[in-house]
Amino acid sequence: MDFNKKQTVEETARYGLPPWMGDPETDSAHWLNTFVGILWPIINKLGGEWAAKKNRMGSYNMGPSLRWAMNVLLKLQLGALPLFYVDGIKVHSTNEQELVLDLTVKLGGDMEAGVDIKGFSSPLNKTRLELQELVAAFTLRLHFTPIIDAIPYMAAVVMQVLDNVDL
């Protein structure tokens, strides 16, 4: 990437413009965001069902003389809005049998996730972890390698975050 192109890409990012406006090699991802928006209610329902199946109650051995009974309750509500938005997609062409995609991603939405851990020995013994609001922006590289001629058509998927995550 030459200096002028790098400077243009950095300027569009600084002003909050999508990366495909300043970098001609980056494509708009409107089609992908529309597809995710259509599927989001189904994904939200499946996420809640998955969390409900993971709720469990049991006792755990913490050593030869310590036994701890606890109840773990998971709550996952992905919300009405999609959790992520893809600002741009850049496809890298290589001479190898691989596919490399750079996705400029923004995370946000109205997701709620929580974990309640309750011990039975005392009603005061309760821990609650909760995530209500998360906003982040980053570039994610997906590296599919090697491409093969049988389903699922790739032997490995490597994910990398290319830059610092803006929270």
Side-chain angles (χ1 to χ4, degrees), residues 45-61:
K45 181 181 174 187
L46 292 174
E49 290 173 359
W50 173 84
K53 287 179 185 176
K54 296 296 179 184
N55 289 337
R56 64 180 181 265
M57 183 171 59
S59 55
Y60 302 90
N61 289 324

Side-chain angles (χ1 to χ4, degrees), residues 20-159:
W20 52 267
M21 290 186 79
D23 185 0
E25 294 178 7
T26 302
D27 295 321
S28 171
H30 179 70
W31 63 273
L32 179 61
N33 295 318
T34 302
F35 183 68
V36 169
I38 291 168
L39 290 179
W40 197 252
I42 298 166
I43 295 169
N44 187 13
K45 181 181 174 187
L46 292 174
E49 290 173 359
W50 173 84
K53 287 179 185 176
K54 296 296 179 184
N55 289 337
R56 64 180 181 265
M57 183 171 59
S59 55
Y60 302 90
N61 289 324
M62 304 294 279
S65 62
L66 180 62
R67 187 174 171 89
W68 187 33
M70 61 188 283
N71 187 13
V72 178
L73 298 173
L74 298 175
K75 174 188 158 195
L76 181 63
Q77 179 67 34
L78 296 177
L81 302 172
L83 183 60
F84 64 91
Y85 180 82
V86 178
D87 251 353
I89 298 175
K90 184 174 184 178
V91 180
H92 297 273
S93 60
T94 63
N95 295 331
E96 305 295 324
Q97 289 291 325
E98 63 186 0
L99 175 64
V100 180
L101 300 173
D102 288 346
L103 304 173
T104 306
V105 179
K106 291 183 180 177
L107 292 179
D110 53 352
M111 178 186 85
E112 289 185 23
V115 178
D116 284 336
I117 303 172
K118 298 177 186 175
F120 291 133
S121 59
S122 166
L124 300 176
N125 188 8
K126 177 181 174 184
T127 303
R128 180 172 186 86
L129 305 171
E130 191 169 273
L131 174 66
Q132 288 186 342
E133 186 175 325
L134 173 68
V135 178
F138 56 91
T139 301
L140 178 70
R141 175 167 286 172
L142 298 174
H143 192 168
F144 303 99
T145 183
I147 303 297
I148 56 177
D149 60 355
I151 294 175
Y153 301 114
M154 64 205 73
V157 178
V158 177
M159 295 190 318

